Amino acid sequence: MVTVSRYFNNVWKSFWTTMVGMRITGRYLLQKPITVQYPDERMPIPNRYRGIHYLEQEKCIDCLACARACPIDCIEMDAVRHGKELEWISFTLDYQKCMFCELCVYPCPKDCIHMGTEYAFVTYDRSEFKHDLLSYKGMSRDAKIRMVDADKKKAEKEAAKAAKPAHEEAAESAPEEGAEDAGAE
Amino acid sequence: MGFLQEKVAELGSGTNLIRELLAGAPRPELVPDWAIPLTAVFIGVGILLAIVSLCAMFGTWLERKVSGHIQCRYGPMRAGWHGWLQPLADGVKLLLKEDLIPLGADRVLFVIAPALVLSSILGAMAVMPLAPDFFFADAPMGVFLILALTSTTTIGVIMAGWASNSKWSLYGAMREAAQVVAYEIPLGVSLLVPLMVAGTFNLSEASAGQAGGFGIFGWYIWPVGFGTEGFSLGNPFMIPALVLVFVAVLAETKRAPFDLPETESELVAGFLTEYSGIRWSFFFMEEYAAMFLYCVVASFFFLGGFNSPLTWVFEDGGLLPNVFLFNVMAFVTIVVKGFLGMFVMMWVRWTLPRLRIDQVMTMGYKYLTPLSLLCVLGAGLWEWGKWMIVG
Amino acid sequence: MDRELQGTITLPEEGRTLASGEQEFVLDVRTQDMELNMGPQHPATHGVMRILVRTDGELVTGAQPHLGYLHRCAEKIGENVEWLQYLPYTDRYDYLAAMNNNIGYSMAVEAVMGIEIPRRAEMLRVICAELNRIGSHLIAFGTYGLDLGAITPFLYAFREREWMMSLFEKICGARLTYSYIRIGGVFNDAPPGWLGEVSRFCDTFEVKWREYYDLLIENQIFVGRTADVGVIPRDMALDFGLTGPMLRGSGVDFDLRRDMPYSLYEEIHDAGAFKIPVGTGEKGTLGDCWDRVWVRVVEMMESVGIVRWCLENIEPGPVIGDIPKTLRVPAGEAYVGIENPRGELGHYVVSDGDKVATRCRVRGPSFCNLAVVEEILSGTLLGDSVAIIGSTDVVIGETDR
């Protein structure tokens, strides 16, 4: 008798739990889906999102703090210093390596590297994953003006000093440097 | 040629229709006699193929939409309105896919298997009447012919599993064999209940027996019906029989929770593992066509067949008797009923986890078979008692 | 002799090199054994694990997990990068519970340094850890349903996990590999309105949780597939050093959050905010797959309780201590074990006063829990093997590291 009751209990339970499950799924069938149609509408991206980096190049002082903080050494930067001003050659971030940990952002003394909200990064070639963050190469116009001003000031100083015979050599070298820089640009 | 001619001449209405059409042609004598029945056969097979592939196409679309909405997502949305052209895009993709035959596979069997599977369902589909006056083969033993033909798909599946030269495929094939054998019995036995009530094996006759009652109340499923002859006592065993048939059909068509031959989480894809492209789609078409066919057969014997309020309006004793519209509405009715059945099967599929193979066997042999036998016994006693009392 | 007449066959020794222990199978027909490679690419192995299964028809007569397909030298990297730089790597071994990994590593380093972290940081840590535990268990529950053929609960679980991930996205900007918890605290305070949204998440989750329970856990087919399957008796669980839900599913009442409390858990437990669910063998034998899954599912609600307690008791304050940018950890060593969603996640770090760890060892719960699979797989059916592997809830990133 126990066996028989267990048999029919099993049949009933299977039927009943199936009905309970179908009630739940059926209810969702009639509700509006929660997903979005991706390319047309997108989920909002929070401010703190860790996407593709962007660099405030004007602020950057090429101190390499971010490159040192990076666990996988995916940041490479190269710049030539002209006194205080920087002539940018490259600032690349290899997104094949980058793991978006945001450790590069916090050590920055000038607060100039950030992670943006852009996340789609599709290329046809692996080499394109080496992403250059620079918005311009070389020197900015302001930096150039500042440099020229600084050079002028320096030249004036040197000229003032050149009046004294002991500093002849220094006075000669200053204009030469300026000429080289102009040629490089 | 004489033998063939005799055989195909029995094809009947289709051949006659073509002859009538040809009579209007300028020089009908140029068309040889044997070509006419052959043309009829080709047209018939063409229509059947169209039905099967349309079933599969609409079935896949429905499946994806139903599963999507059950799971709080949309499903296909890109191709056409709510993705209704998606099956077409998929079809094109499948046709253009590389036709891959794995190394070490039995090439002949590998190629034959999908064709065999598809042809068996085509044959079974021919027995299904599309409208009261439009059918391919009005077989007197319709139900059992359908059951017999659909179970030959098993041979194709086993063939595919064996020929693939993959262990997963072999497992899938063996499971299919075990499962189909186990569930043929309860399916056949529980179908005896409506057969007893209807007193016929023929689908059209079963449908005709359920006419009247606004197209709804004459169905065999009601314990108390209201048909053409007024109120009548139905059979209370029809409802459990329908549940049993439904479960057995789920197993026969390899649908979850009985999708053991395909079990994507255990056997990768079961017997389909090595198939791709259009060959794979043949199995797929078979699955959806079989679902549709079984649902239509069940609707013929339980849920009124051609009878619905739509057809009731246009039938002989109805409001607007019209033979043509009656046939059209009958067709629409069975299509709707078939897809409603498929919808419930999908609903079940996207709700339940899968059984284990031994549980499938247990369910077939220990639960469904005895319960269906009980049903038949009860239904038989009920009918006998009704006959003794009412006469 | 009698045995052969009855059809009972003891498998020959060479045929069962993979199975351990003496086992006899009653067979009708003796068929050829078949070796089956489940994985590395198989839908049920939860990543790139390979299990070499020896089968006799549907019967599994032996199984051997093969590891190492996702080996990334995480521990060795830990000895080559700076203390803080290793943090993103901890995200990546148990990628489903990155917050918990972060906490484990940070606590180990903090233990060497001997520093206290601010109370608000502890609160945020606990909230994040418990939310992540919910997310991890949701995956465990969902993929387990998927292994057993129920696809819909998986998507429901992902729906709630999506919300959890967007909560994390708001607080730290990442969805999977958070690196949110830093040595000395957490790196950012919760944005305005975040705690309120966590509270709303908890409210919604309680409703949805009931659905999961009715839809899958109570389902008769699910019970049939999991009850009495893959039974790990209490003694075996202890022998294999199982931890987490695997251990509790076998009826051993042990949880590091209560028994070796760290962070704020002692206070939270004393406040009665959570209980430790222990398997009871309700649907079958004690220690079967159902018990393990049940423990996970019930734990989700307990985690909600913990999060609620934290939301009630959180106070404003600093979230990170005074930690230099380049960390120099004083010489010393520490082992800190925390309760990961999968069990005890231990970090053992040795420092000799440098910027870089001398030794960084991880005790992964999945790795230890996976060991038992080989033992319980033999003698089951092929369908059960999937259920058993799923019930161990391994994350291959962590077993291989």
Side-chain angles (χ1 to χ4, degrees):
Chain A
M1 206 56 216
V2 176
T3 322
V4 173
S5 76
R6 198 187 294 150
Y7 180 90
F8 283 104
N9 188 28
N10 202 358
V11 171
W12 170 247
K13 259 190 181 169
S14 305
F15 181 76
W16 178 246
T17 53
T18 304
M19 287 300 130
V20 168
M22 282 173 75
R23 189 173 55 92
I24 292 168
T25 49
R27 214 166 45 218
Y28 279 114
L29 181 67
L30 302 174
Q31 282 177 13
K32 198 174 154 45
I34 54 150
T35 51
V36 294
Q37 292 294 301
Y38 165 62
D40 304 331
E41 39 178 324
R42 300 186 181 207
M43 300 290 273
I45 292 173
N47 297 334
R48 290 184 187 177
Y49 190 78
R50 306 211 301 243
I52 287 167
H53 299 73
Y54 66 89
L55 180 71
E56 289 178 63
Q57 198 182 339
E58 293 287 339
K59 282 192 198 169
C60 183
I61 54 166
D62 189 29
C63 66
L64 295 171
C66 50
R68 272 203 301 277
C70 180
I72 22 182
D73 299 338
C74 70
I75 304 176
E76 282 171 15
M77 50 175 94
D78 197 358
V80 179
R81 252 170 227 283
H82 301 291
K84 281 181 178 173
E85 307 308 324
L86 287 171
E87 181 190 342
W88 283 104
I89 295 168
S90 68
F91 191 117
T92 58
L93 229 151
D94 193 348
Y95 282 104
Q96 284 182 77
K97 290 184 193 168
C98 180
M99 51 186 183
F100 298 91
C101 61
E102 213 175 10
L103 288 181
C104 53
V105 175
Y106 288 88
C108 184
K110 292 285 176 185
D111 198 14
C112 67
I113 184 164
H114 309 281
M115 297 190 84
T117 53
E118 201 48 47
Y119 52 86
F121 191 38
V122 187
T123 63
Y124 284 102
D125 190 9
R126 271 174 172 239
S127 63
E128 288 167 46
F129 274 112
K130 215 162 180 167
H131 194 59
D132 206 331
L133 294 184
L134 293 182
S135 44
Y136 59 86
K137 289 268 168 82
M139 297 172 80
S140 69
R141 193 182 157 78
D142 292 351
K144 256 186 231 165
I145 293 169
R146 279 202 303 272
M147 192 190 78
V148 171
D149 288 352
D151 278 356
K152 251 184 214 163
K153 258 181 205 166
K154 206 177 173 186
E156 278 165 16
K157 248 185 210 169
E158 295 296 332
K161 279 182 183 174
K164 294 166 188 175
H167 297 306
E168 270 175 6
E169 286 165 273
E172 270 171 31
S173 63
E176 266 176 38
E177 257 181 33
E180 259 178 42
D181 292 343
E185 287 162 32
Chain B
M1 207 46 70
F3 173 74
L4 183 71
Q5 203 172 335
E6 267 176 35
K7 282 287 154 196
V8 286
E10 293 165 13
L11 282 168
S13 58
T15 319
N16 294 337
L17 192 70
I18 292 172
R19 273 189 215 286
E20 279 169 32
L21 286 174
L22 267 178
R27 297 176 71 184
E29 67 275 11
L30 280 183
V31 181
D33 254 7
W34 54 266
I36 294 166
L38 214 60
T39 318
V41 167
F42 274 114
I43 291 172
V45 171
I47 294 172
L48 278 177
L49 255 177
I51 291 170
V52 167
S53 43
L54 280 175
C55 270
M57 284 167 80
F58 186 72
T60 50
W61 180 80
L62 192 68
E63 175 104 57
R64 296 174 72 172
K65 292 311 273 191
V66 166
S67 70
H69 282 269
I70 278 180
Q71 296 165 354
C72 303
R73 56 191 178 85
Y74 285 96
M77 289 291 278
R78 289 268 134 198
W81 181 82
H82 279 253
W84 72 277
L85 286 171
Q86 191 65 41
L88 214 64
D90 284 346
V92 172
K93 183 204 77 174
L94 288 169
L95 275 171
L96 296 179
K97 252 182 152 178
E98 186 189 355
D99 179 22
L100 201 86
I101 298 178
L103 197 70
D106 190 325
R107 294 182 72 92
V108 179
L109 290 185
F110 191 84
V111 172
I112 292 175
L116 190 71
V117 164
L118 195 65
S119 59
S120 66
I121 197 68
L122 281 176
M125 273 282 192
V127 185
M128 181 183 88
L130 295 175
D133 300 327
F134 187 78
F135 43 80
F136 296 102
D138 195 20
M141 295 287 282
V143 196
F144 281 124
L145 188 56
I146 287 175
L147 288 187
L149 281 169
T150 45
S151 43
T152 53
T153 56
T154 317
I155 299 170
V157 170
I158 295 170
M159 218 185 246
W162 178 256
S164 294
N165 191 30
S166 163
K167 288 168 184 173
W168 305 116
S169 304
L170 191 60
Y171 269 114
M174 289 299 126
R175 284 183 176 186
E176 162 89 6
Q179 183 175 322
V180 170
V181 169
Y183 281 83
E184 282 291 325
I185 305 160
L187 180 61
V189 172
S190 47
L191 266 176
L192 282 178
V193 175
L195 291 180
M196 272 194 283
V197 175
T200 175
F201 287 95
N202 185 294
L203 292 134
S204 317
E205 283 175 28
S207 169
Q210 302 175 67
F214 309 105
I216 289 184
F217 301 109
W219 299 359
Y220 287 145
I221 190 81
W222 307 124
V224 177
F226 174 70
T228 39
E229 291 132 24
F231 283 100
S232 63
L233 205 55
N235 196 319
F237 290 92
M238 288 295 273
I239 293 168
L242 180 61
V243 175
L244 290 171
V245 165
F246 181 75
V247 176
V249 161
L250 281 179
E252 283 282 297
T253 51
K254 311 185 276 293
R255 296 288 298 178
F258 302 100
D259 55 348
L260 270 296
E262 297 170 41
T263 40
E264 73 271 15
S265 62
E266 291 160 33
L267 300 184
V268 188
F271 63 95
L272 293 169
T273 309
E274 304 293 341
Y275 277 91
S276 69
I278 196 71
R279 285 191 219 290
W280 175 81
S281 76
F282 280 179
F283 287 105
F284 212 63
M285 279 156 75
E286 184 270 332
E287 186 182 327
Y288 282 93
M291 279 164 73
F292 180 73
L293 180 65
Y294 277 123
C295 288
V296 169
V297 169
S299 85
F300 267 113
F301 282 99
F302 291 94
L303 304 172
F306 293 128
N307 297 296
S308 72
L310 278 175
T311 44
W312 177 76
V313 172
F314 299 111
E315 75 184 11
D316 263 352
L319 299 173
L320 308 159
N322 182 325
V323 176
F324 178 72
L325 278 179
F326 173 65
N327 276 298
V328 170
M329 286 306 157
F331 179 69
V332 170
T333 303
I334 60 159
V335 167
V336 168
K337 281 178 183 171
F339 280 111
L340 274 179
M342 277 172 87
F343 166 73
V344 178
M345 288 168 95
M346 287 164 190
W347 191 1
V348 170
R349 174 179 177 181
W350 297 104
T351 303
L352 291 181
R354 182 184 301 124
L355 289 163
R356 203 167 55 209
I357 183 68
D358 64 320
Q359 290 167 343
V360 170
M361 295 292 109
T362 309
M363 190 155 173
Y365 285 124
K366 278 182 163 171
Y367 286 89
L368 287 194
T369 309
L371 288 177
S372 59
L373 284 170
L374 268 180
C375 246
V376 168
L377 183 70
L381 285 174
W382 182 273
E383 289 293 311
W384 178 72
K386 220 162 71 172
W387 178 72
M388 289 294 277
I389 296 161
V390 184
Chain C
M1 195 60 209
D2 277 343
R3 226 184 239 167
E4 280 178 18
L5 285 174
Q6 285 163 10
T8 312
I9 295 164
T10 310
L11 294 177
E13 204 55 44
E14 69 272 16
R16 37 193 249 89
T17 44
L18 294 174
S20 43
E22 285 287 316
Q23 269 176 332
E24 289 172 1
F25 302 107
V26 184
L27 305 169
D28 305 340
V29 186
R30 185 73 213 283
T31 53
Q32 198 187 346
D33 275 11
M34 192 152 82
E35 275 191 353
L36 209 55
N37 262 313
M38 273 178 106
Q41 280 145 12
H42 185 275
T45 54
H46 294 222
V48 280
M49 176 171 58
R50 171 171 156 233
I51 296 184
L52 191 63
V53 184
R54 184 178 280 269
T55 55
D56 184 0
E58 285 278 345
L59 199 67
V60 175
T61 57
Q64 174 94 55
H66 286 252
L67 308 179
Y69 288 91
L70 205 58
H71 182 56
R72 292 157 300 177
C73 313
E75 290 172 9
K76 196 69 194 165
I77 290 171
E79 294 161 22
N80 284 293
V81 294
E82 287 174 21
W83 292 102
L84 187 58
Q85 287 184 347
Y86 185 55
L87 205 73
Y89 290 97
T90 63
D91 289 334
R92 282 161 176 78
Y93 30 80
D94 187 350
Y95 39 77
L96 297 182
M99 285 287 186
N100 297 60
N101 300 353
N102 287 170
I103 291 181
Y105 178 70
S106 304
M107 279 176 59
V109 179
E110 283 153 13
V112 180
M113 293 169 75
I115 53 169
E116 285 282 313
I117 69 163
R119 188 173 164 82
R120 188 176 170 88
E122 288 276 26
M123 285 283 191
L124 284 171
R125 276 186 180 190
V126 171
I127 291 173
C128 288
E130 294 306 321
L131 281 179
N132 210 337
R133 192 186 309 278
I134 293 171
S136 174
H137 282 338
L138 277 175
I139 293 247
F141 155 85
T143 53
Y144 195 55
L146 204 61
D147 284 345
L148 301 181
I151 300 167
T152 304
F154 173 73
L155 280 122
Y156 291 169
F158 261 63
R159 184 187 56 201
E160 265 67 65
R161 185 169 176 270
E162 183 70 27
W163 192 355
M164 179 220 91
M165 286 199 299
S166 70
L167 282 173
F168 283 154
E169 200 180 8
K170 279 179 188 150
I171 198 170
C172 73
R175 296 169 62 81
L176 195 69
T177 50
Y178 311 109
S179 325
Y180 171 63
I181 286 144
R182 293 289 160 88
I183 297 159
V186 297
F187 84 48
N188 234 333
D189 202 352
W194 190 79
L195 295 169
E197 199 182 339
V198 172
S199 173
R200 278 204 303 285
F201 171 79
C202 292
D203 294 344
T204 315
F205 186 76
E206 276 183 352
V207 180
K208 304 289 184 191
W209 181 85
R210 194 66 233 171
E211 273 174 14
Y212 304 149
Y213 204 82
D214 290 342
L215 183 59
L216 192 65
I217 303 297
E218 289 274 285
N219 188 288
Q220 189 68 11
I221 296 177
F222 182 83
V223 172
R225 282 297 302 274
T226 51
D228 294 326
V229 169
V231 177
I232 304 175
R234 193 190 151 91
D235 292 341
M236 194 202 265
L238 291 171
D239 288 350
F240 274 87
L242 304 185
T243 44
M246 292 277 284
L247 183 68
R248 293 194 282 279
S250 294
V252 184
D253 192 0
F254 179 74
D255 189 310
L256 288 176
R257 287 177 292 174
R258 184 196 59 197
D259 298 323
M260 293 166 72
Y262 54 93
S263 198
L264 297 173
Y265 283 111
E266 192 167 16
E267 197 183 333
I268 300 171
H269 187 259
D270 290 345
F274 73 102
K275 291 193 290 289
I276 308 296
V278 179
T280 52
E282 187 188 331
K283 300 282 178 185
T285 323
L286 180 64
D288 56 12
C289 291
W290 193 87
D291 276 345
R292 293 197 277 280
V293 175
W294 178 83
V295 164
R296 286 197 187 97
V297 170
V298 175
E299 257 186 34
M300 289 198 269
M301 280 317 284
E302 301 301 330
S303 291
V304 169
I306 298 175
V307 172
R308 284 249 169 82
W309 185 88
C310 290
L311 290 176
E312 279 165 20
N313 290 286
I314 195 164
E315 287 152 7
V319 293
I320 191 156
D322 189 19
I323 302 293
K325 270 178 183 168
T326 308
L327 209 60
R328 278 181 195 277
V329 176
E333 58 180 61
Y335 174 85
V336 173
I338 64 153
E339 185 73 22
N340 204 43
R342 275 156 202 85
E344 179 179 352
L345 176 79
H347 276 88
Y348 174 63
V349 291
V350 182
S351 166
D352 51 4
D354 205 357
K355 284 196 291 187
V356 178
T358 311
R359 183 78 177 95
C360 178
R361 163 92 181 110
V362 182
R363 184 236 186 251
S366 295
F367 180 71
C368 299
N369 290 351
L370 190 62
V372 81
V373 163
E374 188 181 342
E375 186 71 23
I376 54 176
L377 267 191
S378 51
T380 57
L381 291 173
L382 199 61
D384 284 342
S385 69
V386 171
I388 290 168
I389 295 165
S391 78
T392 59
D393 185 25
V394 287
V395 171
I396 302 302
E398 192 203 76
T399 61
D400 295 350
R401 257 166 275 144

